[in-house]
Amino acid sequence: MKQSVAVFCSANEKINPEYFLRTQELGEYMGKNGYELVFGGCNMGLMECIAKAVKQAGGHSVGVIPSKIEEHGAISEYVDEKVFVSNLSERKDVMLERSDVIIALPGGIGTLDEIFTVAAAATIGYHKKKIILYNIGGYWDKLVQTIEQMQADGFIRGNYRQYFLVANNIEDMKRLLIDCFQPTLF
Protein backbone atom coordinates (compact mmCIF):
# COMPACT_ATOMS: atom_id res chain seq x y z
CA MET A 1 0.00 0.00 0.00
CA LYS A 2 1.38 3.38 -1.01
CA GLN A 3 1.77 5.79 1.91
CA SER A 4 1.17 9.32 0.63
CA VAL A 5 2.04 12.40 2.63
CA ALA A 6 0.91 15.87 1.64
CA VAL A 7 3.32 18.59 2.66
CA PHE A 8 2.09 22.16 2.99
CA CYS A 9 4.88 24.72 3.23
CA SER A 10 6.38 28.00 2.14
CA ALA A 11 7.57 28.84 -1.35
CA ASN A 12 9.67 31.71 0.01
CA GLU A 13 13.45 31.65 -0.23
CA LYS A 14 14.45 34.28 2.34
CA ILE A 15 13.59 32.41 5.50
CA ASN A 16 15.56 30.90 8.36
CA PRO A 17 18.12 28.39 6.96
CA GLU A 18 17.17 25.96 9.76
CA TYR A 19 13.82 25.43 8.01
CA PHE A 20 15.63 24.25 4.89
CA LEU A 21 17.91 21.91 6.86
CA ARG A 22 15.00 20.25 8.69
CA THR A 23 12.93 20.09 5.49
CA GLN A 24 15.78 18.37 3.66
CA GLU A 25 16.14 15.91 6.55
CA LEU A 26 12.42 15.13 6.39
CA GLY A 27 12.51 14.70 2.61
CA GLU A 28 15.44 12.31 2.83
CA TYR A 29 13.60 10.25 5.44
CA MET A 30 10.44 10.17 3.33
CA GLY A 31 12.30 9.17 0.17
CA LYS A 32 14.31 6.42 1.85
CA ASN A 33 11.26 4.99 3.62
CA GLY A 34 8.83 4.82 0.72
CA TYR A 35 6.54 7.73 1.56
CA GLU A 36 5.12 9.39 -1.53
CA LEU A 37 5.29 13.19 -1.43
CA VAL A 38 2.22 15.17 -2.51
CA PHE A 39 3.05 18.88 -2.67
CA GLY A 40 2.30 22.15 -4.44
CA GLY A 41 4.68 21.49 -7.34
CA CYS A 42 6.53 24.81 -7.09
CA ASN A 43 10.28 25.20 -7.61
CA MET A 44 10.84 27.68 -4.79
CA GLY A 45 11.43 27.69 -1.06
CA LEU A 46 10.63 24.72 1.12
CA MET A 47 8.51 23.21 -1.68
CA GLU A 48 11.56 22.77 -3.88
CA CYS A 49 13.65 21.65 -0.91
CA ILE A 50 11.32 18.82 0.09
CA ALA A 51 10.83 17.66 -3.50
CA LYS A 52 14.55 17.59 -4.22
CA ALA A 53 15.34 15.72 -1.00
CA VAL A 54 12.62 13.11 -1.61
CA LYS A 55 13.73 12.59 -5.21
CA GLN A 56 17.44 12.34 -4.37
CA ALA A 57 16.63 9.77 -1.68
CA GLY A 58 14.84 7.57 -4.22
CA GLY A 59 11.29 8.66 -3.49
CA HIS A 60 8.31 9.61 -5.67
CA SER A 61 6.55 12.96 -5.77
CA VAL A 62 3.21 14.24 -7.01
CA GLY A 63 3.08 17.94 -7.79
CA VAL A 64 -0.38 19.49 -7.70
CA ILE A 65 0.20 22.56 -9.83
CA PRO A 66 -2.15 25.55 -10.04
CA SER A 67 -2.40 27.38 -13.36
CA LYS A 68 -0.58 30.48 -12.01
CA ILE A 69 2.47 28.38 -11.11
CA GLU A 70 2.40 26.85 -14.58
CA GLU A 71 2.01 30.27 -16.24
CA HIS A 72 5.07 31.59 -14.42
CA GLY A 73 7.15 28.53 -15.32
CA ALA A 74 7.75 27.79 -11.64
CA ILE A 75 7.24 24.01 -11.74
CA SER A 76 9.74 21.94 -9.80
CA GLU A 77 12.00 19.70 -11.84
CA TYR A 78 11.67 17.09 -9.08
CA VAL A 79 8.01 16.30 -9.79
CA ASP A 80 7.44 12.73 -10.96
CA GLU A 81 3.71 13.07 -11.56
CA LYS A 82 2.10 16.40 -12.48
CA VAL A 83 -1.52 17.11 -11.65
CA PHE A 84 -2.65 20.42 -13.14
CA VAL A 85 -5.43 22.35 -11.40
CA SER A 86 -7.06 25.70 -12.06
CA ASN A 87 -6.68 27.34 -8.64
CA LEU A 88 -5.54 27.02 -5.03
CA SER A 89 -8.87 25.65 -3.78
CA GLU A 90 -8.70 22.81 -6.29
CA ARG A 91 -5.08 22.19 -5.32
CA LYS A 92 -6.06 21.77 -1.65
CA ASP A 93 -8.85 19.36 -2.60
CA VAL A 94 -6.57 17.22 -4.77
CA MET A 95 -3.76 17.21 -2.20
CA LEU A 96 -6.18 16.08 0.50
CA GLU A 97 -7.65 13.41 -1.77
CA ARG A 98 -4.23 12.09 -2.84
CA SER A 99 -2.73 11.88 0.66
CA ASP A 100 -3.14 9.84 3.82
CA VAL A 101 -1.43 12.25 6.23
CA ILE A 102 -0.66 15.98 6.05
CA ILE A 103 2.51 17.67 7.29
CA ALA A 104 2.64 21.44 7.73
CA LEU A 105 6.14 22.85 7.59
CA PRO A 106 6.69 26.51 8.46
CA GLY A 107 4.72 28.66 6.07
CA GLY A 108 2.58 31.73 5.70
CA ILE A 109 -0.99 32.60 4.82
CA GLY A 110 -1.28 29.87 2.18
CA THR A 111 -0.06 27.20 4.58
CA LEU A 112 -2.49 28.37 7.26
CA ASP A 113 -5.32 28.28 4.72
CA GLU A 114 -4.36 24.75 3.72
CA ILE A 115 -4.11 23.29 7.21
CA PHE A 116 -7.32 24.91 8.43
CA THR A 117 -9.24 23.76 5.36
CA VAL A 118 -8.12 20.19 6.11
CA ALA A 119 -8.86 20.53 9.84
CA ALA A 120 -12.32 22.04 9.25
CA ALA A 121 -13.22 19.17 6.92
CA ALA A 122 -12.10 16.69 9.59
CA THR A 123 -14.17 18.35 12.32
CA ILE A 124 -17.39 17.71 10.41
CA GLY A 125 -16.51 14.20 9.31
CA TYR A 126 -15.27 14.40 5.73
CA HIS A 127 -12.10 12.50 6.64
CA LYS A 128 -9.98 11.32 9.57
CA LYS A 129 -6.57 12.39 8.28
CA LYS A 130 -4.07 13.81 10.73
CA ILE A 131 -2.21 17.08 10.33
CA ILE A 132 1.30 17.03 11.76
CA LEU A 133 2.64 20.50 12.53
CA TYR A 134 6.42 20.29 12.15
CA ASN A 135 7.32 22.70 14.90
CA ILE A 136 10.83 23.54 13.73
CA GLY A 137 12.41 25.93 16.22
CA GLY A 138 9.04 26.45 17.90
CA TYR A 139 7.50 27.91 14.73
CA TRP A 140 3.98 26.62 15.48
CA ASP A 141 4.00 27.29 19.26
CA LYS A 142 1.78 30.38 19.11
CA LEU A 143 -0.64 28.71 16.71
CA VAL A 144 -0.95 25.73 19.04
CA GLN A 145 -1.57 28.14 21.95
CA THR A 146 -4.32 29.81 19.93
CA ILE A 147 -5.92 26.48 19.08
CA GLU A 148 -5.74 25.46 22.74
CA GLN A 149 -7.52 28.71 23.68
CA MET A 150 -10.19 28.03 21.05
CA GLN A 151 -10.59 24.56 22.56
CA ALA A 152 -10.81 25.93 26.11
CA ASP A 153 -13.43 28.48 25.03
CA GLY A 154 -15.57 25.76 23.42
CA PHE A 155 -15.07 26.70 19.78
CA ILE A 156 -13.66 23.36 18.64
CA ARG A 157 -15.77 20.21 18.46
CA GLY A 158 -14.12 17.30 20.22
CA ASN A 159 -10.44 17.52 21.04
CA TYR A 160 -8.18 19.40 18.62
CA ARG A 161 -5.61 16.63 19.09
CA GLN A 162 -7.90 14.43 16.99
CA TYR A 163 -6.81 16.55 14.02
CA PHE A 164 -3.50 18.20 14.94
CA LEU A 165 -0.32 16.46 16.08
CA VAL A 166 2.94 18.28 16.83
CA ALA A 167 6.45 17.10 15.95
CA ASN A 168 9.23 19.12 17.54
CA ASN A 169 12.08 17.27 15.82
CA ILE A 170 12.74 14.57 13.22
CA GLU A 171 12.43 11.76 15.76
CA ASP A 172 8.94 12.97 16.75
CA MET A 173 8.08 13.21 13.05
CA LYS A 174 9.23 9.67 12.30
CA ARG A 175 7.22 8.28 15.23
CA LEU A 176 4.08 10.22 14.29
CA LEU A 177 4.28 9.17 10.64
CA ILE A 178 4.61 5.53 11.63
CA ASP A 179 1.72 5.89 14.10
CA CYS A 180 -0.50 7.62 11.53
CA PHE A 181 -0.23 4.66 9.19
CA GLN A 182 -1.20 2.13 11.84
CA PRO A 183 -4.69 0.75 11.09
CA THR A 184 -5.87 1.45 14.66
CA LEU A 185 -5.68 5.22 14.10
CA PHE A 186 -8.16 5.18 11.23
Side-chain angles (χ1 to χ4, degrees), residues 178-186:
I178 290 167
D179 289 351
C180 284
F181 286 101
Q182 297 300 316
T184 56
L185 289 180
F186 293 100

Side-chain angles (χ1 to χ4, degrees), residues 20-82:
F20 287 98
L21 290 172
R22 298 298 142 237
T23 297
Q24 180 179 345
E25 183 178 53
L26 172 62
E28 289 170 357
Y29 173 77
M30 288 175 60
K32 288 177 183 174
N33 289 279
Y35 294 105
E36 176 182 68
L37 170 66
V38 179
F39 79 116
C42 187
N43 67 357
M44 296 180 283
L46 298 181
M47 279 197 226
E48 181 76 343
C49 182
I50 191 87
K52 181 178 180 181
V54 166
K55 184 71 170 175
Q56 290 180 341
H60 182 265
S61 70
V62 177
V64 184
I65 304 160
S67 59
K68 290 290 181 192
I69 299 296
E70 184 181 11
E71 286 173 20
H72 293 122
I75 299 172
S76 174
E77 67 182 81
Y78 302 104
V79 174
D80 294 305
E81 179 184 343
K82 296 175 185 166

